[in-house]
Amino acid sequence: MALIRKPNHLQTLINKGEGIDLDFKYAVNDSKKIARSLSAFANSQGGVLLLGVRDNGSIAGVKSEEEFYMIETAAKFYTRPEVFIEVKPHTASGLTVLEIIIPKSKEIPHLSPDGEGKWKAYVRVKDENIVADKIQMLVWKLQKSENPIKITYSKNEKILLNYLSNHETISFSHFCRLAEISRFQAENILANLIVLKIITFDIDKTKKLFSLSNID
């Protein structure tokens, strides 16, 4: 009878493939760029960065200790506040792969520099890091505030909730047009309702879609 070998921890991660909580990096040549991945994971649900793995899942191995120090530099100097990371080395076929574990942070939002050096908050969407929009920033601010949220069930909230009771989702721009309100007003209404867990959202590369929360 043939023995079936179970994949080890590293191979299990690789088999899972890149996604919202897993990213492969062939190499690190820019600490600022890798810092965006660290902050995105910390600002989202946490995740793992595998250094020394190609996009197709094949193992390349880290080239030198310098890459480890670049990861450390990214966390210590290019994330604000600093993102906590844990590094675990793995060996496969004589090659070293670094598993960088980034827990979900309690100090959200973490910022890191974009390509122009401007500090921004990133979030993880599917297998990419994107800049957090104003609504997400407002949600984080409200969640950290010690002041209770005061919301009036006004005409604008009624328009939104009535629409969502008959439609699955609504986009930000559609809500602005439907309620005939400014972007600023819409951002505040949506952020308040998200924090109160009345509505939720799903985001892709181009837009954020809002829907009623599923309340059991």
Side-chain angles (χ1 to χ4, degrees), residues 25-36:
K25 289 294 179 188
Y26 168 63
V28 177
N29 48 31
D30 186 341
S31 289
K32 293 180 182 179
K33 188 174 181 179
I34 205 70
R36 295 170 212 160

Side-chain angles (χ1 to χ4, degrees), residues 130-145:
I130 67 170
V131 177
D133 64 12
K134 288 184 180 179
I135 297 172
Q136 182 64 77
M137 297 298 287
L138 275 172
V139 168
W140 286 332
K141 183 178 179 180
L142 290 169
Q143 288 172 336
K144 293 173 74 173
S145 174

Side-chain angles (χ1 to χ4, degrees), residues 143 191-200 212-215:
Q143 288 172 336
N192 282 327
L193 291 176
I194 290 169
V195 174
L196 291 171
K197 298 183 178 179
I198 295 172
I199 64 171
T200 186
L212 290 175
S213 296
N214 292 322
I215 302 174

Side-chain angles (χ1 to χ4, degrees), residues 45-208:
Q45 63 185 42
V48 170
L49 180 65
L50 289 182
L51 178 56
V53 177
R54 299 183 181 91
D55 288 343
N56 63 7
S58 62
I59 295 174
V62 291
K63 301 186 184 310
S64 67
E65 288 188 6
E66 184 179 351
E67 290 184 90
F68 169 77
Y69 293 118
M70 290 184 77
I71 290 286
E72 277 198 328
T73 298
K76 288 182 179 295
F77 300 106
Y78 295 117
T79 61
R80 297 177 182 170
E82 180 182 336
V83 170
F84 171 80
I85 63 172
E86 181 183 0
V87 181
K88 293 183 177 179
H90 299 277
T91 302
S93 302
L95 300 171
T96 299
V97 172
L98 298 180
E99 177 187 0
I100 296 98
I101 302 166
I102 308 102
K104 179 178 180 179
S105 177
K106 295 180 180 179
E107 298 183 83
I108 294 171
H110 294 269
L111 308 181
S112 55
D114 66 8
E116 298 177 351
K118 297 178 181 177
W119 289 77
K120 296 181 179 179
Y122 289 82
V123 291
R124 188 78 177 168
V125 177
K126 296 180 180 177
D127 61 350
E128 293 193 28
N129 308 318
I130 67 170
V131 177
D133 64 12
K134 288 184 180 179
I135 297 172
Q136 182 64 77
M137 297 298 287
L138 275 172
V139 168
W140 286 332
K141 183 178 179 180
L142 290 169
Q143 288 172 336
K144 293 173 74 173
S145 174
E146 296 180 357
N147 298 322
I149 296 174
K150 295 180 181 179
I151 188 166
T152 310
Y153 192 53
S154 69
K155 174 179 71 75
N156 298 327
E157 282 80 8
K158 288 179 182 178
I159 288 172
L160 174 64
L161 298 178
N162 286 339
Y163 182 89
L164 288 176
S165 66
N166 294 296
H167 301 81
E168 189 174 345
T169 63
I170 189 170
S171 68
F172 177 76
S173 58
H174 190 177
F175 174 44
C176 289
R177 292 193 302 270
L178 191 66
E180 298 180 333
I181 57 178
S182 68
R183 295 179 65 86
F184 176 79
Q185 288 175 294
E187 287 163 356
N188 281 278
I189 290 170
L190 292 166
N192 282 327
L193 291 176
I194 290 169
V195 174
L196 291 171
K197 298 183 178 179
I198 295 172
I199 64 171
T200 186
F201 63 87
D202 187 30
I203 188 170
D204 62 22
K205 300 174 192 175
T206 57
K207 63 183 176 181
K208 183 177 283 187

Side-chain angles (χ1 to χ4, degrees), residues 8-18 21-22 24 48 50 90 99:
N8 59 27
H9 174 68
L10 176 60
Q11 193 59 54
T12 298
L13 285 174
I14 293 173
N15 292 345
K16 180 181 175 182
E18 292 181 296
D21 60 355
L22 181 62
F24 300 159
V48 170
L50 289 182
H90 299 277
E99 177 187 0

